Amino acid sequence: MSQLMGICLFINPIKGAGDDLPDIGSHAPNTAFVDQYDLDETDLSQFAALILPAHIDQRFLGTRSDQITTFLDQGGTLVFNGHVAWPMLPELTSFVPLECQSLENLMIYRVNEHPVFDGVDCNDLTFKRGVAGFYARGSNPPPDGAIPLHVLGNEQLVCDWLYERPEGGRILMHSGNDLWMYVGSQNSTARIVPQLCAWAGGE
């Protein structure tokens, strides 16, 4: 696969969704953007990573599963944000919400280190403007062999995981709001987006 290493392709969310998210701008160098409905006309071989937002037409994405699978088979990285409602790949399973969304169950705990979250305090993930629950409220269950990165509270639901596919490529799952909501934040979460793009781009 003749990827341009370091180039991450962000899929634009559904129009009208995610309008309150910060502009990635200069916080994520070496990135490109495309509307989801233009995927069928996009040559993914020129990108190292495909980054999906929480607000996306998952049924349409399912029609592009062969294209995305080929991208993964050839060594690409897929970053998925949000709740899986329409599993478009065999590695994905429908979202499972927390049974009890108490403060204790909304606490984020790191179970394995990962470059995307290097130096990021779990307390900063748990609380945004003093409120818990922005980061994740459930799990897209990981496939066998995936490495859990973060879990939620007493239920220990896996909300972030990494899966190195036997066929090639890798999937980074975040079963919550778009990770780029932390762009320009005033705490350790500001590290997430630049580290995500560096890792996903193969640096």
Side-chain angles (χ1 to χ4, degrees), residues 174-186:
H174 168 59
S175 57
N177 291 317
D178 294 334
L179 288 171
W180 42 101
M181 69 177 173
Y182 296 109
V183 162
S185 73
Q186 300 303 305

PDB file of all heavy atoms in Angstrom, residues 174-186:
ATOM      1  N   HIS A 174     -12.895   4.175  20.208  1.00  0.00           N
ATOM      2  CA  HIS A 174     -13.278   5.037  21.333  1.00  0.00           C
ATOM      3  C   HIS A 174     -14.800   5.126  21.331  1.00  0.00           C
ATOM      4  O   HIS A 174     -15.387   5.735  20.439  1.00  0.00           O
ATOM      5  CB  HIS A 174     -12.665   6.422  21.212  1.00  0.00           C
ATOM      6  CG  HIS A 174     -13.244   7.407  22.180  1.00  0.00           C
ATOM      7  ND1 HIS A 174     -13.181   7.210  23.544  1.00  0.00           N
ATOM      8  CD2 HIS A 174     -13.936   8.554  21.982  1.00  0.00           C
ATOM      9  CE1 HIS A 174     -13.801   8.225  24.144  1.00  0.00           C
ATOM     10  NE2 HIS A 174     -14.270   9.044  23.227  1.00  0.00           N
ATOM     11  N   SER A 175     -15.437   4.516  22.317  1.00  0.00           N
ATOM     12  CA  SER A 175     -16.903   4.415  22.314  1.00  0.00           C
ATOM     13  C   SER A 175     -17.546   5.597  23.040  1.00  0.00           C
ATOM     14  O   SER A 175     -18.353   5.429  23.952  1.00  0.00           O
ATOM     15  CB  SER A 175     -17.338   3.098  22.963  1.00  0.00           C
ATOM     16  OG  SER A 175     -16.823   2.994  24.286  1.00  0.00           O
ATOM     17  N   GLY A 176     -17.161   6.800  22.611  1.00  0.00           N
ATOM     18  CA  GLY A 176     -17.718   8.010  23.207  1.00  0.00           C
ATOM     19  C   GLY A 176     -17.680   9.163  22.231  1.00  0.00           C
ATOM     20  O   GLY A 176     -17.554   8.970  21.017  1.00  0.00           O
ATOM     21  N   ASN A 177     -17.776  10.381  22.749  1.00  0.00           N
ATOM     22  CA  ASN A 177     -17.740  11.572  21.906  1.00  0.00           C
ATOM     23  C   ASN A 177     -16.401  11.679  21.180  1.00  0.00           C
ATOM     24  O   ASN A 177     -15.392  11.106  21.599  1.00  0.00           O
ATOM     25  CB  ASN A 177     -17.958  12.824  22.764  1.00  0.00           C
ATOM     26  CG  ASN A 177     -19.365  12.909  23.310  1.00  0.00           C
ATOM     27  OD1 ASN A 177     -20.332  12.654  22.608  1.00  0.00           O
ATOM     28  ND2 ASN A 177     -19.488  13.275  24.580  1.00  0.00           N
ATOM     29  N   ASP A 178     -16.409  12.451  20.098  1.00  0.00           N
ATOM     30  CA  ASP A 178     -15.192  12.600  19.296  1.00  0.00           C
ATOM     31  C   ASP A 178     -14.011  13.036  20.159  1.00  0.00           C
ATOM     32  O   ASP A 178     -14.115  13.975  20.955  1.00  0.00           O
ATOM     33  CB  ASP A 178     -15.402  13.642  18.195  1.00  0.00           C
ATOM     34  CG  ASP A 178     -16.427  13.193  17.171  1.00  0.00           C
ATOM     35  OD1 ASP A 178     -16.600  11.973  16.997  1.00  0.00           O
ATOM     36  OD2 ASP A 178     -17.047  14.064  16.534  1.00  0.00           O
ATOM     37  N   LEU A 179     -12.889  12.368  19.986  1.00  0.00           N
ATOM     38  CA  LEU A 179     -11.708  12.695  20.779  1.00  0.00           C
ATOM     39  C   LEU A 179     -11.236  14.123  20.540  1.00  0.00           C
ATOM     40  O   LEU A 179     -10.599  14.726  21.407  1.00  0.00           O
ATOM     41  CB  LEU A 179     -10.584  11.707  20.473  1.00  0.00           C
ATOM     42  CG  LEU A 179     -10.778  10.286  21.029  1.00  0.00           C
ATOM     43  CD1 LEU A 179      -9.709   9.352  20.476  1.00  0.00           C
ATOM     44  CD2 LEU A 179     -10.740  10.293  22.558  1.00  0.00           C
ATOM     45  N   TRP A 180     -11.561  14.692  19.360  1.00  0.00           N
ATOM     46  CA  TRP A 180     -11.095  16.050  19.093  1.00  0.00           C
ATOM     47  C   TRP A 180     -11.919  17.125  19.804  1.00  0.00           C
ATOM     48  O   TRP A 180     -11.695  18.310  19.623  1.00  0.00           O
ATOM     49  CB  TRP A 180     -10.981  16.350  17.611  1.00  0.00           C
ATOM     50  CG  TRP A 180     -12.069  15.878  16.715  1.00  0.00           C
ATOM     51  CD1 TRP A 180     -13.098  16.605  16.203  1.00  0.00           C
ATOM     52  CD2 TRP A 180     -12.195  14.571  16.146  1.00  0.00           C
ATOM     53  NE1 TRP A 180     -13.874  15.835  15.375  1.00  0.00           N
ATOM     54  CE2 TRP A 180     -13.333  14.583  15.317  1.00  0.00           C
ATOM     55  CE3 TRP A 180     -11.452  13.393  16.266  1.00  0.00           C
ATOM     56  CZ2 TRP A 180     -13.751  13.453  14.620  1.00  0.00           C
ATOM     57  CZ3 TRP A 180     -11.881  12.265  15.573  1.00  0.00           C
ATOM     58  CH2 TRP A 180     -13.003  12.312  14.767  1.00  0.00           C
ATOM     59  N   MET A 181     -12.863  16.714  20.667  1.00  0.00           N
ATOM     60  CA  MET A 181     -13.521  17.722  21.509  1.00  0.00           C
ATOM     61  C   MET A 181     -12.526  18.318  22.500  1.00  0.00           C
ATOM     62  O   MET A 181     -12.806  19.347  23.123  1.00  0.00           O
ATOM     63  CB  MET A 181     -14.705  17.114  22.267  1.00  0.00           C
ATOM     64  CG  MET A 181     -14.359  16.124  23.355  1.00  0.00           C
ATOM     65  SD  MET A 181     -15.859  15.549  24.219  1.00  0.00           S
ATOM     66  CE  MET A 181     -15.167  14.269  25.262  1.00  0.00           C
ATOM     67  N   TYR A 182     -11.358  17.669  22.648  1.00  0.00           N
ATOM     68  CA  TYR A 182     -10.359  18.147  23.600  1.00  0.00           C
ATOM     69  C   TYR A 182      -9.324  19.078  22.969  1.00  0.00           C
ATOM     70  O   TYR A 182      -8.387  19.506  23.651  1.00  0.00           O
ATOM     71  CB  TYR A 182      -9.645  16.962  24.244  1.00  0.00           C
ATOM     72  CG  TYR A 182     -10.571  16.107  25.080  1.00  0.00           C
ATOM     73  CD1 TYR A 182     -10.955  14.837  24.656  1.00  0.00           C
ATOM     74  CD2 TYR A 182     -11.077  16.578  26.284  1.00  0.00           C
ATOM     75  CE1 TYR A 182     -11.810  14.052  25.419  1.00  0.00           C
ATOM     76  CE2 TYR A 182     -11.933  15.802  27.052  1.00  0.00           C
ATOM     77  CZ  TYR A 182     -12.291  14.542  26.612  1.00  0.00           C
ATOM     78  OH  TYR A 182     -13.155  13.783  27.372  1.00  0.00           O
ATOM     79  N   VAL A 183      -9.492  19.395  21.697  1.00  0.00           N
ATOM     80  CA  VAL A 183      -8.550  20.304  21.041  1.00  0.00           C
ATOM     81  C   VAL A 183      -8.485  21.629  21.806  1.00  0.00           C
ATOM     82  O   VAL A 183      -9.511  22.237  22.115  1.00  0.00           O
ATOM     83  CB  VAL A 183      -8.975  20.555  19.575  1.00  0.00           C
ATOM     84  CG1 VAL A 183      -8.292  21.788  19.024  1.00  0.00           C
ATOM     85  CG2 VAL A 183      -8.646  19.352  18.706  1.00  0.00           C
ATOM     86  N   GLY A 184      -7.265  22.041  22.124  1.00  0.00           N
ATOM     87  CA  GLY A 184      -7.083  23.331  22.776  1.00  0.00           C
ATOM     88  C   GLY A 184      -7.520  23.391  24.225  1.00  0.00           C
ATOM     89  O   GLY A 184      -7.643  24.485  24.791  1.00  0.00           O
ATOM     90  N   SER A 185      -7.757  22.241  24.848  1.00  0.00           N
ATOM     91  CA  SER A 185      -8.190  22.245  26.244  1.00  0.00           C
ATOM     92  C   SER A 185      -7.058  22.765  27.141  1.00  0.00           C
ATOM     93  O   SER A 185      -5.900  22.822  26.730  1.00  0.00           O
ATOM     94  CB  SER A 185      -8.623  20.849  26.685  1.00  0.00           C
ATOM     95  OG  SER A 185      -7.497  19.999  26.840  1.00  0.00           O
ATOM     96  N   GLN A 186      -7.418  23.100  28.355  1.00  0.00           N
ATOM     97  CA  GLN A 186      -6.458  23.698  29.278  1.00  0.00           C
ATOM     98  C   GLN A 186      -5.861  22.688  30.250  1.00  0.00           C
ATOM     99  O   GLN A 186      -5.250  23.079  31.246  1.00  0.00           O
ATOM    100  CB  GLN A 186      -7.136  24.837  30.052  1.00  0.00           C
ATOM    101  CG  GLN A 186      -7.662  25.955  29.176  1.00  0.00           C
ATOM    102  CD  GLN A 186      -6.570  26.562  28.305  1.00  0.00           C
ATOM    103  OE1 GLN A 186      -5.537  26.991  28.814  1.00  0.00           O
ATOM    104  NE2 GLN A 186      -6.793  26.593  26.995  1.00  0.00           N
TER     105      GLN A 186
END
